[in-house]
Amino acid sequence: MSKQSTHQVEQFVKCHQGSVRGFLSFMGCGRDRLDDLVQDVFLSFLAANFEDRGEKATRAFLRRIARNLYLKALERERRQPKMLNPELLESAWVEFESDDAGDGYLDALRVCLGGLRGRALEVLRLRYAESIQLIPLAARLGLSESGVKSILVRTKGKLRDCVDRRVGA
Amino acid sequence: MKSSADRILDYALGRHFSMEPTIDLSERIAQRWAEGEGGSLQPDELQALGSSTKPKAIRGGHRTGLGHWRGWILAAACLLLLWAAAALLPTAPRLVSDPGPAQPRPWQVQLSEPIDLYRGPESKALRSSTILAGDTLFMAETSPELSLGAGLTLTARGPALFSIERLHGALQIAPLAGELTLAGQPGLAWALNGVALSFEAPSRLSLQLAGSFSPAPRDWTPSGVLAFLREEREADQALLLMLTSGQLGRGIGDNANLLGTGEELILVGGEVLSEEVWRRAQGLIRDIAPSGPGDMVAANYWSPERAREQSQQFAEMIAEEPALWGVLGAALRGRARQGVLNPRFAMALLDLLIYGEEPRAREQARSLWMTDPAAFNPRQVVAMASFGYFEFQRELEAQWALAGEQDWEGLPYAIYAGMEGDARGEQLLDHALRNPEERTLASGEFGLAALALESLGESGAWDLVQDPFEAAFEAALLAGELTRAQQVVLQVEALAALRREPGGKAWVQIFRLATGPLPTKEFSDESSASLRQRLDLALGG
């Protein structure tokens, strides 16, 4: 992207910001710094004078920048990244995004979630929609912490199998 | 640490449930770019990341002299700060992905044996190579055994910690500065097939023996192996390790492909018990592999019936020597850790461990739970919970919370809860009773559902099971399947006995009846008297 107009930059960011934001979240980046990092990623990308070699290469380069900036941010804070091998993570992300920005996976997940009922669904909703930690969540449902943990593990196991079947089908 | 698949699911769930609107940053970024701002990465960093052309040293859409100098001054200041930080914190950990200069390569591996090590599944074999921090080397599965007696030399160009980890505890941890040659002890061959050499960091090298590390007998004939076992201390453990590594299989007749099945357990029992049992074990191997190596143990071999038969034979052998329950538990856990525990064999064996009368057997099942909970089916979880094991009760509680109203998988939990007076599963129990599918009928859950409902106050529940059992019995007789007919009768008798004397944990035996071999003990009962009479007639009694 050389000699970009403001409009071109805006269009470019609109096109890729979801992917960059998602990738950073997936790597473990918290909401508190997510927006700053996304901006930094795009500004670094623009400064890199990256030669356009197609969508795939552009996304890959954006991911490399994002990963690097995130790790640097952690390093500045003297925090160890809580992540698997970054290359493994990235390849999992690429598989998730596929050609549809992850919509296929999310659609499958939606269907699988539709099959859940009762307490399992409630636990998931409280955990992910309201970000309630395990101990208060257990207290709210009148369960033990380990009980909630078991429900989460089992439910997610079922969901993963269900999504894998649907995505693979 | 979560797997990448778990993290993807976490992310997707977060995205699915998230109520927060996503902020569009495009205008803001375009504005910052237009004002001459760039990202925090330096041009050389960007180039290292793969920018195909030279990154702009001057950032921003509108270049000015001020912007140019500001960029360089900032870059210089950053470099100075980094240098100062590095000087102050010489031991600060560096992230692997930091795009700094390549680290010096501190390790040299020299292979004095003609064995192939690979950096990865598709890379070329190394004969002598320098190892990067973070490298893991693999030995091809087809490689011959690496005899450390001949030597594998690891050379460090600096002080480091060297460790060998083996299957059962640490073998050696030694500080290393300079060169270390691993050498076998005289008279012992060291099996290293499947080994992974892991070089984790410049300051630490670990050699992990993933599969096996065991002394082996010199004489591979059965009598030689037996002599070795009798002489060696911890012979049972050594034998387990040999079996795990496939050495014993090779030794007794090129049956190395028996790995991953349950024969080794039978062999363990046979080895330590008597030559008679050993001969039986050999017979089993010949039965499986009559024509030498190859794909001898196909997945189909482990049919549920075959798995039951094998596990039953093993149980008979081990009954003669109960101390071997511990050996069995260790073998199960070891194979589960390696991910090679055959699920059908494990399921059949767990049935025996759980539904039998031997508390030590249940303890082995319990210990496997810590390693491989996926090996357990719902009935086994329920049975273990009924014996009072708290971890299974916790699991049961969680599973019961997950089960849907029409979820057949939740039926064992509903039965358990119903018998404990919890009416939440009433609908599921009722559903099961009114839909006596073949699977539910045979599994024992059908009759137990009736008893659970009856204990919840449904007085007519027991009557509902009579016709389906009668029909199943008739169908089995008509088809000439007398064993199945006998199983139906035994089920009815056992259920009736349980109905007469509720409470206790006797109902677990219903599961046993459904999964294991038919018991010799029979439960006489008036309600099944006519079935028993007809069965006896059919059996020619």
Side-chain angles (χ1 to χ4, degrees):
Chain A
M1 288 187 64
S2 56
K3 294 184 181 177
Q4 308 89 340
S5 70
T6 303
H7 177 69
Q8 280 177 314
V9 171
E10 271 189 46
Q11 290 307 308
F12 177 76
V13 174
K14 273 184 199 297
C15 177
H16 292 284
Q17 64 179 341
S19 174
V20 171
R21 184 187 292 275
F23 180 64
L24 283 167
S25 298
F26 173 64
M27 296 285 280
C29 179
R31 289 174 189 171
D32 53 334
R33 76 173 101 201
L34 189 58
D35 286 346
D36 288 344
L37 269 180
V38 171
Q39 292 183 58
D40 202 352
V41 169
F42 280 102
L43 290 171
S44 295
F45 179 91
L46 293 164
N49 201 19
F50 185 71
E51 183 189 356
D52 189 359
R53 284 171 298 189
E55 187 70 13
K56 204 172 170 182
T58 301
R59 283 191 178 211
F61 189 51
L62 279 167
R63 279 196 304 272
R64 280 201 295 280
I65 294 175
R67 192 174 88 188
N68 199 274
L69 284 171
Y70 175 55
L71 292 174
K72 283 181 78 155
L74 289 181
E75 197 176 22
R76 275 198 300 276
E77 296 171 16
R78 304 274 183 84
R79 284 169 54 191
Q80 288 292 327
K82 290 177 183 173
M83 61 175 70
L84 299 161
N85 181 326
E87 278 77 26
L88 277 180
L89 274 185
E90 186 169 344
S91 84
W93 174 259
V94 170
E95 193 180 340
F96 163 76
E97 267 205 316
S98 188
D99 297 327
D100 59 4
D103 285 346
Y105 188 102
L106 290 167
D107 286 345
L109 178 64
R110 204 168 295 122
V111 173
C112 294
L113 281 168
L116 285 183
R117 286 176 299 279
R119 195 161 273 183
L121 189 60
E122 195 180 359
V123 167
L124 279 185
R125 192 186 58 75
L126 292 172
R127 186 79 184 90
Y128 288 93
E130 300 186 22
S131 303
I132 300 178
Q133 296 301 308
L134 283 183
I135 294 175
L137 203 160
R140 188 155 160 182
L141 294 176
L143 294 170
S144 65
E145 185 189 349
S146 57
V148 171
K149 205 171 173 182
S150 290
I151 291 175
L152 272 173
V153 169
R154 294 286 165 181
T155 309
K156 282 159 71 174
K158 281 187 175 182
L159 281 176
R160 205 174 46 240
D161 291 345
C162 174
V163 170
D164 285 349
R165 275 198 306 275
R166 290 191 163 272
V167 172
Chain B
M1 183 81 69
K2 288 179 179 176
S3 71
S4 53
D6 286 333
R7 289 182 72 126
I8 286 285
L9 180 63
D10 266 344
Y11 167 75
L13 281 167
R15 203 162 134 183
H16 175 86
F17 282 108
S18 176
M19 302 294 177
E20 290 187 9
T22 306
I23 302 168
D24 181 4
L25 294 169
S26 59
E27 197 177 327
R28 170 82 182 128
I29 292 169
Q31 189 186 354
R32 286 178 67 181
W33 174 249
E35 288 171 357
E37 281 195 63
S40 59
L41 288 178
Q42 300 303 309
D44 57 334
E45 290 177 309
L46 287 166
Q47 204 153 19
L49 285 177
S51 170
S52 55
T53 54
K54 192 177 178 184
K56 293 181 175 87
I58 310 164
R59 293 171 174 154
H62 306 287
R63 311 288 174 244
T64 65
L66 183 60
H68 173 82
W69 287 108
R70 189 176 63 180
W72 280 109
I73 290 167
L74 275 173
C78 286
L79 283 172
L80 270 171
L81 279 172
L82 283 171
W83 176 81
L88 286 170
L89 296 165
T91 57
R94 290 184 69 83
L95 295 168
V96 172
S97 58
D98 190 295
Q103 294 294 310
R105 300 177 170 193
W107 295 100
Q108 183 81 26
V109 171
Q110 294 169 344
L111 298 170
S112 41
E113 277 282 281
I115 189 161
D116 294 337
L117 289 177
Y118 300 85
R119 274 195 201 283
E122 294 174 3
S123 64
K124 290 180 181 176
L126 308 168
R127 292 303 166 95
S128 174
S129 176
T130 307
I131 306 303
L132 278 168
D135 262 359
T136 297
L137 297 188
F138 299 92
M139 189 183 295
E141 287 182 9
T142 52
S143 295
E145 285 173 19
L146 172 62
S147 164
L148 288 185
L152 165 68
T153 303
L154 302 165
T155 308
R157 291 181 192 160
L161 188 71
F162 176 74
S163 72
I164 300 177
E165 292 165 25
R166 53 173 285 188
L167 200 59
H168 293 280
L171 178 71
Q172 178 185 354
I173 298 177
L176 171 70
E179 187 174 285
L180 179 76
T181 299
L182 299 178
Q185 296 171 24
L188 290 177
W190 299 93
L192 283 173
N193 254 350
V195 72
L197 303 172
S198 176
F199 298 81
E200 292 174 353
S203 60
R204 185 178 171 84
L205 161 68
S206 74
L207 169 57
Q208 292 183 330
L209 306 183
S212 57
F213 197 84
S214 58
R218 295 176 190 174
D219 179 1
W220 283 107
T221 63
S223 58
V225 173
L226 281 171
F228 167 79
L229 290 170
R230 289 184 182 120
E231 288 164 10
E232 279 289 316
R233 283 184 304 166
E234 300 179 340
D236 54 352
Q237 196 176 61
L239 180 61
L240 269 178
L241 292 167
M242 283 187 287
L243 290 160
T244 311
S245 71
Q247 281 195 56
L248 190 58
R250 278 195 294 279
I252 61 177
D254 295 326
N255 288 318
N257 282 356
L258 294 177
L259 283 176
T261 70
E263 284 78 8
E264 62 266 41
L265 300 176
I266 295 167
L267 285 172
V268 171
E271 280 299 296
V272 187
L273 284 171
S274 66
E275 293 209 34
E276 165 59 22
V277 183
W278 167 249
R279 276 195 291 276
R280 284 162 60 190
Q282 276 191 296
L284 281 171
I285 290 179
R286 276 196 297 273
D287 181 26
I288 298 162
S291 57
D295 186 16
M296 296 174 289
V297 189
N300 287 339
Y301 175 80
W302 283 105
S303 65
E305 293 73 24
R306 182 67 172 163
R308 275 184 213 160
E309 185 190 325
Q310 292 277 27
S311 56
Q312 182 61 24
Q313 285 187 38
F314 175 71
E316 284 169 14
M317 282 192 275
I318 216 167
E320 299 171 33
E321 185 55 70
L324 285 176
W325 283 120
V327 177
L328 167 66
L332 282 174
R333 290 191 297 278
R335 301 206 69 77
R337 269 195 294 272
Q338 293 168 43
V340 293
L341 184 60
N342 182 291
R344 281 179 174 167
F345 181 78
M347 200 66 82
L349 204 53
L350 279 173
D351 281 345
L352 283 168
L353 295 178
I354 294 169
Y355 303 143
E357 304 293 330
E358 175 58 70
R360 279 173 294 189
R362 282 198 290 277
E363 285 299 328
Q364 300 311 322
R366 183 187 196 184
S367 70
L368 182 64
W369 173 261
M370 305 300 291
T371 313
D372 189 10
F376 289 73
N377 65 28
R379 283 184 299 195
Q380 291 163 342
V381 170
V382 168
M384 288 298 279
S386 76
F387 286 117
Y389 293 110
F390 73 91
E391 59 270 52
F392 290 89
Q393 288 172 339
R394 201 171 59 193
E395 172 71 6
L396 192 149
E397 180 193 336
Q399 289 289 358
W400 181 223
L402 283 177
E405 289 173 356
Q406 307 289 317
D407 189 353
W408 284 111
E409 284 183 18
L411 190 54
Y413 308 122
I415 291 169
Y416 181 90
M419 292 206 177
E420 296 287 319
D422 180 349
R424 274 185 301 157
E426 199 168 348
Q427 197 175 350
L428 180 56
L429 293 169
D430 189 64
H431 179 71
L433 268 187
R434 295 180 192 287
N435 297 276
E437 295 174 347
E438 181 65 23
R439 187 180 68 85
T440 339
L441 190 69
S443 67
E445 290 159 355
F446 178 68
L448 284 171
L451 291 191
L453 263 184
E454 198 173 49
S455 68
L456 291 172
E458 289 287 333
S459 56
W462 178 247
D463 296 334
L464 287 175
V465 304
Q466 304 299 326
D467 288 346
F469 272 125
E470 177 84 26
F473 178 76
E474 291 290 348
L477 277 189
L478 276 174
E481 295 177 11
L482 296 183
T483 304
R484 189 152 67 93
Q486 190 179 9
Q487 191 180 27
V488 173
V489 175
L490 285 167
Q491 273 205 36
V492 175
E493 289 174 346
L495 284 164
L498 190 57
R499 189 171 175 238
R500 280 197 309 275
E501 295 177 22
K505 306 302 174 191
W507 62 275
V508 169
Q509 297 308 319
I510 306 291
F511 286 161
R512 183 191 186 193
L513 189 63
T515 54
L518 298 181
T520 50
K521 183 185 171 188
E522 292 164 1
F523 306 88
S524 62
D525 186 78
E526 288 175 10
S527 64
S528 60
S530 69
L531 290 182
R532 164 64 61 185
Q533 200 173 11
R534 288 159 64 195
L535 178 68
D536 288 344
L537 277 174
L539 289 170

